[in-house]
Amino acid sequence: MTIVKVIVDVPASTINQTFDYAVPKNLEAIVQPGMRVVVPFGVRTITGFIVNFTKESEVENLKYIVEILDLTPVLTHELIRLGKWLADETLSLYITVFQAMLPQVFKSTYEKELIKLTDAHLPEDIENMFGDFDTVPYEAIEQAGVSYSSLQKCIEEGYLYVNYIVKSRVTKKYATFIKPQKPVHMLEEALLDLSQGAKKQREVLSFFIQMPQSIEQKTLLETLNTTTSPVKALSSKGLLSITREEVYRNPFDDDSIERTEPLALTDEQAKAIEPVKADLAEEKHRVHLIHGVTGSGKTEIYLQIIQDVIEQGKEAIVLVPEISLTPQMVRRFKGRFGKQVAVLHSALSAGEKYDEWRRIHQKTVNVVVGARSAVFAPFEHLGVIIIDEEHETTYKQEEQPRYHARDVAVYRGREHNCPVILGSATPSLESYARAQKGRYELAVLKERTNKQTMPDVNIVDMRNELHAGNRTMFSRELIDSTHTRIEQGEQIVLLLNRRGYSTFVMCRDCGHVSECPNCDIALTFHKNANRLKCHYCGYEEKVPLTCPACASDMIRYFGTGTQKVEEALVQLLPEARVIRMDVDTTRRKGSHERLLQKFGKQEADILLGTQMIAKGLDFKNVTLVGVLTADSMLHLPDFRSAEKTFQLLTQVSGRAGRHSLPGEVIVQTYTPEHYSIELASTYQFEAFYKREMMLRKTFQYPPFVFLALITISHPEKLKVVQTSQTIAGLLSKYTHEETTILGPTPSPIARMKNRFRYQCMVKYKYEPNLKQLIQKITRQFDRETTRGELMITVDMQPYQLM
Ligand code: ADP
Ligand code: ZN
Ligand code: ZN
């Protein structure tokens, strides 16, 4: 009898182990680890992953596998091993890790069908099963009683494939879009005129008052849970327009991309690439950190290394942060390697993601460019893994499994004996420290390929502006300079270190700030709806006219959002054409790219936006970059805030003067003396590194110690306090003397969604059994956590401390 070990899809720590199942005779020849199966579990049948064979089982009366969901394994042997390691490292459930490695379609029970790709060589019973059709439902296999092993063979040889029928994948070139036909204030008037009975119409109209932009009808109806009739009614009143528009399906149209050839490397590039090539030739694993200023030709290095890898018959993974996964970036890889490149990013639909994944799985591509989860690409002959902008915190997943893509990359690099490359203009302190210690190979690129110097950075002290009577958010210098640039036909990028039209409301008399009653954070003011909203739980209320604390009417709005900046800009510079880019204007698929294209074609003078404009953009005509609020991150409760500020300022400065026109950067700040701002403005990475390392050492933060963050939440405060005290007590009892347990203290966001949150932080240098200890401690609360009242999350090496 064949017996397999299966990880079942029950996300609970009590079930986090393998279960043995017997394999029915007709499946014996084809089952392999990495396939998904349906198995009986208690009274139910559920899905799971085969992870191993076993000779014998201690279980009497073994149950049989009911069905196999894949005819070819979806997880390779290596990914199964990786999954086990990762689950142990991050204290996550095996099932959660396996699911995180695969496209979403594998998680839900989508319908499947078998598609015939050719008539040649099909065995008779399979031919008969298809009859006159090219496609049959997956269930037909069982009914027709064809042999699984011959099916499997046909799939392996590429005669058949299993297709997941994902609804959103139906090719539809056109879709219906709804957009407002009147300006917001007229919509607001119309809303007042609508009768109270017209509830649905009111909802739809309010929606557009809040988000006055075009939206696909389907999305609108789903979001508001309504039908087309209120939309039609509003359209007949001339308030909304209904149009059929082309849907932007493939943002990366391969055929329009011009092919590029390798460039002759500069001396610095050649020196950086040499040790990597040596590793490739020797099939040796090392981690290389390429510290190169923006524009120093790191991407060209990546491209030439990948070329070597492909010539060796191997595969490459390139990770880029989600927000710099811009069409410009993708085009550079497709331009060099054409159809050999798969792209994985979050803007793809479930079906499109599955399509890209399948191209990797079937080895029709050998390069994948993608965000964090692309590190799990099921390649079997990896030649290199590249992580661009390695310092970005988006490489850390902030939900289970809480993994860092860098750690996964290094694990896989070791397994495949291949180099891992980390590139950045501002390496993370962790990585740079490792390079200093000799654990990583360091290559430095100091010059831009065009020999342009980095643009001059002028720091403007906003306190002086205020004293001089300038109450706007733009310094005189920034406005003057912007003005001049526009006159010269040049372009400007303005960065606002914050998102949306978000301001908080404060009483000028008593300082009262309106906070969310559920979450203990300031409510955000949304002008269009004239309401205050909580970004964490969705709570909202009307803007108060008088202060709830002291009844003063001196209520004012503080902080700045992109929308507000745009309005102010237009007042100061009426002639400027502005493109605003933030989460609101880029929500729709393809809009990010359209806005950039517009800017690239110089149909606007100013690109105004949040962090998402800081990275990877390369426009010839941009000569001025302005940072409106350089210090807005400095005051967050996060020991990395200075590092993040330094990184962001360096990144944006790199956007100016990338080509022949010289660039200028203006940084506005209320704390010009802060070392992260001062040193970023003079491009002194080394000095920043030394200074920051000294502070980290003094206060014992990474990379001098490791951290584990345990967050405990519960609707009752007493329960949270008790539980976190118990946990902290056990932690200090069973850890080394030098290990510090901070807390329990309320989390920086002390309440979220009506749950009180407390945290304990473990700071340690050497604690080999910490993970087992934490697991043992949290297990004690299994009963309460399974019921869902108590929540305990563990984050090993946290990046988000809120
Ligand atoms: P980074 O990734 O470090 O920001 P890029 O690879 O984008 O730098 O290079 C910046 C610019 O220099 C690009 O326009 C690129 O085409 C060009 N470039 C890169 N390497 C070379 C080279 N060896 N010779 C000439 N131009 C180069
Ligand atoms: Zn007040
Ligand atoms: Zn809230």
Side-chain angles (χ1 to χ4, degrees):
M1 186 163 61
T2 307
I3 305 170
V4 288
K5 292 194 168 291
V6 174
I7 293 285
V8 295
D9 187 2
V10 181
S13 54
T14 43
I15 312 285
N16 193 30
Q17 61 178 79
T18 58
F19 292 88
D20 294 349
Y21 287 94
V23 180
K25 268 273 168 294
N26 65 331
L27 297 178
E28 254 178 12
I30 66 151
V31 286
Q32 287 170 46
M35 286 179 171
R36 293 172 312 137
V37 287
V38 175
V39 291
F41 193 80
V43 292
R44 302 177 285 165
T45 57
I46 57 178
T47 60
F49 291 87
I50 300 179
V51 293
N52 218 338
F53 288 110
T54 178
K55 289 229 160 53
E56 46 198 53
S57 173
E58 287 166 10
V59 183
E60 285 168 34
N61 301 324
L62 270 184
K63 289 180 185 162
Y64 279 89
I65 287 175
V66 177
E67 188 191 343
I68 50 169
L69 293 173
D70 306 300
L71 292 170
T72 44
V74 292
L75 292 172
T76 61
H77 288 273
E78 183 222 334
L79 289 179
I80 295 173
R81 276 197 305 278
L82 170 63
K84 171 149 191 345
W85 171 81
L86 195 57
D88 293 342
E89 280 300 300
T90 59
L91 294 174
S92 308
L93 304 174
Y94 298 116
I95 188 69
T96 320
V97 173
F98 289 145
Q99 285 170 344
M101 290 176 163
L102 293 170
Q104 237 183 338
V105 289
F106 290 127
K107 204 171 156 186
S108 348
T109 43
Y110 285 96
E111 273 177 51
K112 284 178 295 182
E113 60 192 4
L114 270 178
I115 297 183
K116 186 163 70 166
L117 299 174
T118 165
D119 280 336
H121 314 291
L122 286 185
E124 211 181 315
D125 55 343
I126 296 181
E127 197 63 75
N128 288 340
M129 175 177 75
F130 278 99
D132 289 335
F133 300 97
D134 287 332
T135 307
V136 293
Y138 193 78
E139 293 72 44
I141 301 174
E142 197 64 38
Q143 286 155 15
V146 298
S147 123
Y148 276 108
S149 36
S150 58
L151 266 179
Q152 195 177 35
K153 217 162 137 237
C154 292
I155 290 171
E156 271 162 17
E157 299 193 346
Y159 303 146
L160 299 179
Y161 82 85
V162 180
N163 185 39
Y164 287 75
I165 307 167
V166 183
K167 281 207 192 81
S168 58
R169 210 170 133 270
V170 268
T171 327
K172 77 181 154 185
K173 273 207 116 120
Y174 286 84
T176 306
F177 284 92
I178 316 293
K179 61 173 170 248
Q181 236 184 331
K182 296 269 160 63
V184 170
H185 70 270
M186 293 184 70
L187 299 183
E188 281 169 343
E189 262 169 44
L191 182 63
L192 293 176
D193 290 339
L194 271 178
S195 79
Q196 286 298 332
K199 245 179 101 182
K200 283 294 171 191
Q201 284 188 50
R202 297 179 66 90
E203 270 177 35
V204 174
L205 201 51
S206 309
F207 179 87
F208 283 104
I209 291 170
Q210 267 177 53
M211 273 209 287
Q213 54 186 301
S214 172
I215 181 172
E216 199 180 328
Q217 175 168 285
K218 198 171 129 269
T219 319
L220 177 73
L221 301 186
E222 276 169 15
T223 313
L224 299 179
N225 192 19
T226 183
T227 61
T228 51
S229 55
V231 176
K232 283 186 185 142
L234 291 168
S235 142
S236 64
K237 290 177 186 150
L239 296 168
L240 299 181
S241 73
I242 306 177
T243 50
R244 280 183 76 72
E245 287 175 32
E246 190 175 357
V247 184
Y248 214 66
R249 263 191 62 87
N250 178 8
F252 309 116
D253 178 10
D254 295 8
D255 299 327
S256 68
I257 298 175
E258 220 174 290
R259 292 303 286 259
T260 62
E261 294 295 326
L263 302 169
L265 295 177
T266 63
D267 289 347
E268 280 189 334
Q269 282 174 321
K271 216 171 138 224
I273 214 170
E274 192 203 342
V276 182
K277 289 205 168 187
D279 286 0
L280 287 179
E282 291 172 37
E283 307 209 330
K284 181 172 161 192
H285 166 69
R286 280 194 293 183
V287 181
H288 300 260
L289 176 64
I290 301 183
H291 174 207
V293 297
T294 39
S296 60
K298 294 186 291 297
T299 311
E300 181 65 27
I301 294 180
Y302 306 153
L303 292 169
Q304 300 206 8
I305 289 167
I306 295 170
Q307 176 130 22
D308 265 34
V309 166
I310 292 176
E311 279 163 15
Q312 279 189 354
K314 293 187 176 176
E315 298 125 1
I317 296 176
V318 183
L319 301 185
V320 298
E322 182 72 50
I323 50 178
S324 54
L325 197 49
T326 57
Q328 279 183 338
M329 188 71 179
V330 171
R331 199 168 285 132
R332 294 187 67 181
F333 287 88
K334 293 219 169 181
R336 196 63 61 86
F337 305 114
K339 294 202 186 315
Q340 298 177 88
V341 182
V343 178
L344 285 173
H345 63 115
S346 63
L348 300 180
S349 68
E352 287 165 335
K353 274 184 201 149
Y354 168 63
D355 286 347
E356 292 297 283
W357 182 88
R358 195 155 45 83
R359 292 187 334 124
I360 301 165
H361 192 228
Q362 294 179 333
K363 319 275 177 336
T364 49
V365 295
N366 37 29
V367 180
V368 54
V369 180
R372 181 178 61 228
S373 63
V375 76
F376 298 117
F379 283 137
E380 290 178 280
H381 309 96
L382 270 177
V384 71
I385 303 177
I386 295 165
I387 305 186
D388 190 33
E389 313 273 12
E390 70 90 27
H391 61 277
E392 278 294 325
T393 48
T394 55
Y395 288 126
K396 172 73 191 291
Q397 173 149 308
E398 292 301 346
E399 58 185 63
Q400 267 227 44
R402 295 185 159 76
Y403 68 92
H404 198 297
R406 194 199 296 131
D407 301 331
V408 177
V410 172
Y411 177 96
R412 297 196 74 184
R414 220 181 294 130
E415 288 263 311
H416 287 269
N417 290 317
C418 76
V420 171
I421 297 171
L422 312 176
S424 175
T426 51
S428 62
L429 245 64
E430 281 96 331
S431 294
Y432 202 72
R434 285 188 190 132
Q436 295 293 318
K437 273 184 164 175
R439 280 184 57 199
Y440 293 172
E441 294 300 302
L442 180 65
V444 184
L445 306 171
K446 288 195 157 61
E447 286 187 0
R448 288 177 144 185
T449 53
N450 57 6
K451 303 285 177 209
Q452 285 268 345
T453 51
M454 296 299 285
D456 281 338
V457 179
N458 303 319
I459 299 180
V460 177
D461 187 339
M462 288 305 277
R463 291 171 302 193
N464 295 341
E465 293 295 309
L466 200 64
H467 295 151
N470 175 6
R471 299 191 159 273
T472 73
M473 52 193 109
F474 306 97
S475 59
R476 291 158 293 175
E477 188 176 346
L478 182 59
I479 285 300
D480 289 349
S481 192
T482 305
H483 200 78
T484 318
R485 303 285 170 180
I486 295 177
E487 269 179 358
Q488 292 170 358
E490 296 162 14
Q491 287 172 294
I492 299 108
V493 168
L494 290 184
L495 175 92
L496 181 74
N497 205 351
R498 200 160 180 170
R499 88 163 198 188
Y501 192 174
S502 69
T503 54
F504 58 98
V505 171
M506 188 169 101
C507 168
R508 285 207 155 178
D509 278 329
C510 76
H512 172 87
V513 173
S514 288
E515 288 186 343
C516 174
N518 311 321
C519 302
D520 268 12
I521 57 157
L523 290 169
T524 300
F525 175 56
H526 284 246
K527 189 185 174 205
N528 289 332
N530 199 32
R531 289 178 83 78
L532 295 173
K533 291 187 188 176
C534 171
H535 275 190
Y536 286 93
C537 74
Y539 169 88
E540 50 180 281
E541 63 180 42
K542 267 191 5 217
V543 177
L545 295 173
T546 56
C547 171
C550 75
S552 153
D553 59 1
M554 290 292 285
I555 297 246
R556 292 294 178 270
Y557 310 121
F558 283 83
T560 41
T562 38
Q563 200 177 329
K564 195 165 162 192
V565 176
E566 186 183 13
E567 288 169 14
L569 248 187
V570 174
Q571 282 188 357
L572 286 168
L573 298 163
E575 78 276 20
R577 297 165 301 165
V578 182
I579 289 180
R580 174 162 65 94
M581 220 162 95
D582 56 23
V583 278
D584 289 332
T585 62
T586 56
R587 195 161 294 154
R588 229 174 70 206
K589 199 161 122 194
S591 50
H592 190 224
E593 136 117 310
R594 264 194 301 274
L595 292 176
L596 289 181
Q597 265 179 3
K598 230 176 122 185
F599 191 65
K601 283 192 250 157
Q602 303 188 21
E603 287 169 21
D605 308 301
I606 301 178
L607 179 64
L608 166 70
T610 48
Q611 263 85 331
M612 68 172 73
I613 62 172
K615 313 225 162 60
L617 305 183
D618 189 4
F619 294 109
K620 290 187 172 55
N621 203 37
V622 172
T623 54
L624 172 63
V625 171
V627 182
L628 296 177
T629 43
D631 35 16
S632 66
M633 269 190 316
L634 277 178
H635 310 296
L636 294 177
D638 179 349
F639 69 88
R640 287 191 181 88
S641 64
E643 186 182 357
K644 285 180 184 162
T645 302
F646 182 89
Q647 288 164 348
L648 183 71
L649 291 182
T650 311
Q651 291 290 344
V652 284
S653 304
R655 298 302 119 216
R658 283 175 69 89
H659 297 269
S660 49
L661 296 170
E664 180 194 6
V665 180
I666 295 177
V667 172
Q668 303 189 155
T669 171
Y670 289 91
T671 45
E673 64 284 352
H674 193 279
Y675 64 98
S676 64
I677 292 175
E678 224 173 70
L679 294 173
S681 69
T682 42
Y683 304 101
Q684 298 190 61
F685 177 81
E686 279 285 336
F688 174 78
Y689 169 76
K690 290 205 174 103
R691 175 96 193 240
E692 183 70 14
M693 283 294 269
M694 237 165 55
L695 283 174
R696 301 274 179 99
K697 189 167 184 194
T698 311
F699 295 103
Q700 288 291 296
Y701 278 119
F704 292 96
V705 294
F706 298 108
L707 297 180
L709 179 69
I710 303 167
T711 306
I712 301 107
S713 73
H714 194 280
E716 286 164 46
K717 190 165 184 180
L718 187 65
K719 186 75 203 166
V720 184
V721 175
Q722 280 170 350
T723 311
S724 30
Q725 272 165 357
T726 311
I727 291 178
L730 289 168
L731 282 170
S732 41
K733 186 165 170 197
Y734 293 107
T735 47
H736 288 152
E737 265 171 35
E738 309 91 84
T739 298
T740 320
I741 314 293
L742 296 175
T745 53
S747 303
I749 297 168
R751 200 147 62 106
M752 199 189 282
K753 300 185 183 165
N754 273 322
R755 304 176 66 89
F756 290 90
R757 304 169 81 233
Y758 268 65
Q759 63 182 35
C760 301
M761 175 96 81
V762 187
K763 273 186 178 180
Y764 62 99
K765 286 206 155 115
Y766 185 71
E767 209 57 79
N769 298 320
L770 183 64
K771 288 190 287 268
Q772 285 91 320
L773 175 64
I774 294 177
Q775 209 155 33
K776 224 168 134 185
I777 294 175
T778 54
R779 278 275 161 88
Q780 297 187 4
F781 300 95
D782 268 351
R783 244 188 40 229
E784 287 147 286
T785 47
T786 329
R787 283 201 308 249
E789 296 150 9
L790 183 68
M791 257 163 65
I792 304 176
T793 59
V794 183
D795 194 352
M796 304 300 292
Q797 318 325 326
Y799 280 77
Q800 228 178 45
L801 304 173
M802 315 282 254

